Amino acid sequence: EYMKTSPWTPGKMLSYKRTWMAGFSLGVMELLSLGIMTNFFARLSSIGYQPGEIIGMLAIAGIAACFGSPLCGVLDAKVGPKRAIIITFGIGVVSLILNRACIYLSLPFLALMLGGASNYLVSFTSTVWGRYDFPLAYKVLKPIVAAIGAIGVSLVAIIGEASSYATAYAVLAVLAVVAAVVMAVTKD
């Protein structure tokens, strides 16, 4: 019955500032995940790691990410999606900084961020718009998040090849901080 009287329409969602703020912030988290993982091999090859060792690092990150998702889910349940997103951005920044100094130390942080990235769109959307308006809100937010996230693949590759992957990771860290600030000021 509520669905017949819901104030939300796709047009209203798209004109709502919170939609764009959440879409940007969550999109940047996806951008980080896609940008890092799709360029992982190229980045590590560029600094002298051999293919076998890189594959081993990917395996470590992949296995650890299996724990990252439930851990971020617990964090989300404990502190709420907005705070969990901000904390996960912090974890992502730590991973990017450690990646410049010691790749192996960065892997658990990377895995946590990767595991959490996919959880938060659903969690934040259901918290803000509720279970009845969730289907519409998700249908509007998901393409925004995906479009921003898809930029990560090219962004890291272009900066990595034109300048360096260290510069690309610095850009990602700045984007993560900006997205965390945007999330911090987004009403939940």
Side-chain angles (χ1 to χ4, degrees):
E1 189 62 33
Y2 169 81
M3 296 305 289
K4 294 176 188 173
T5 61
S6 171
W8 294 107
T9 64
K12 185 171 181 182
M13 285 284 304
L14 288 170
S15 67
Y16 194 45
K17 185 169 131 182
R18 190 186 318 179
T19 300
W20 292 100
M21 291 173 78
F24 170 77
S25 186
L26 294 165
V28 168
M29 188 168 289
E30 194 166 302
L31 181 152
L32 292 175
S33 298
L34 291 172
I36 292 168
M37 291 312 296
T38 58
N39 290 282
F40 195 86
F41 199 91
R43 189 254 188 281
L44 294 178
S45 293
S46 75
I47 57 174
Y49 284 93
Q50 297 304 308
E53 191 172 7
I54 298 169
I55 298 298
M57 289 182 203
L58 282 167
I60 291 168
I63 292 166
C66 293
F67 299 100
S69 182
L71 286 173
C72 286
V74 169
L75 177 65
D76 186 343
K78 276 267 199 228
V79 302
K82 181 175 168 175
R83 283 189 186 151
I85 291 164
I86 294 166
I87 291 167
T88 303
F89 272 124
I91 290 167
V93 170
V94 168
S95 173
L96 289 164
I97 291 168
L98 286 174
N99 193 275
R100 295 181 65 144
C102 181
I103 305 293
Y104 283 100
L105 282 178
S106 75
L107 294 177
F109 294 96
L110 172 63
L112 274 170
M113 188 207 51
L114 293 172
S118 60
N119 294 350
Y120 296 129
L121 175 59
V122 170
S123 177
F124 189 82
T125 304
S126 63
T127 298
V128 172
W129 283 276
R131 73 177 188 172
Y132 295 113
D133 289 315
F134 173 85
L136 173 67
Y138 187 83
K139 287 175 194 173
V140 171
L141 276 168
K142 180 57 182 168
I144 295 168
V145 170
I148 294 168
I151 294 167
V153 177
S154 298
L155 179 71
V156 173
I158 290 168
I159 296 171
E161 293 300 318
S163 177
S164 71
Y165 284 98
T167 302
Y169 278 32
V171 169
L172 293 180
V174 169
L175 280 171
V177 170
V178 170
V181 169
V182 169
M183 182 53 69
V185 299
T186 301
K187 188 174 179 237
D188 58 352

